[in-house]
Amino acid sequence: MNNELIKVTIKNDQQLVSARELHKGLGLTTRFSKWVDQNFKDFELGVDFTGVTRVTSVNNGAKQELQDYAITIDMAKQLCLLSRTQKVMVSTLEV
């Protein structure tokens, strides 16, 4: 298992992380949009998360816009606990 950290940004004095990066970092196999639908319903838009658009390059060099979310650290922690993946369990033991 690698020990990559998820980048934290600060906006309006609030620490935020990318939901897509968290999803990837947790090693989840669920499609991102389905994971969002299943897990974001107990959180408040504009308080716990905000929608953002990311631009990524695809194989042919073209640009593609992807829906992402800037989520608070507290929300990220709760999502980690909900995911119950092996990575989360090992990380919890290392703390």
Side-chain angles (χ1 to χ4, degrees), residues 1 15 21 24-25 27 30-31 40 45-46 52-53 66 68 74 76-78 80 82 85-86 88 90 93:
M1 182 173 103
Q15 294 180 327
E21 287 184 27
K24 180 180 177 184
T30 307
R31 192 177 72 243
F40 280 37
L45 177 64
V52 295
T53 303
L66 295 175
D68 195 359
D74 286 337
K77 288 177 186 177
Q78 291 179 51
C80 287
L82 288 171
T85 66
Q86 186 65 30
V88 172
V90 170
L93 292 174

Side-chain angles (χ1 to χ4, degrees), residues 22-94:
L22 179 64
H23 180 265
K24 180 180 177 184
L26 290 171
L28 300 173
T29 56
T30 307
R31 192 177 72 243
F32 177 74
S33 60
K34 183 176 182 181
W35 177 73
V36 168
D37 289 343
Q38 291 173 337
N39 292 284
F40 280 37
K41 59 185 168 238
D42 294 328
F43 298 98
E44 189 174 340
L45 177 64
V47 175
D48 299 307
F49 68 98
T50 55
V52 295
T53 303
R54 284 181 36 179
V55 177
T56 187
S57 296
V58 292
N59 292 337
N60 63 2
K63 303 289 184 198
Q64 179 181 9
E65 288 188 354
L66 295 175
Q67 178 65 49
D68 195 359
Y69 300 90
I71 62 175
T72 63
I73 295 295
D74 286 337
M75 180 175 172
K77 288 177 186 177
Q78 291 179 51
L79 290 171
C80 287
L81 293 173
L82 288 171
S83 74
R84 300 182 53 90
T85 66
Q86 186 65 30
K87 286 185 178 186
V88 172
M89 291 177 190
V90 170
S91 297
T92 304
L93 292 174
E94 291 176 352

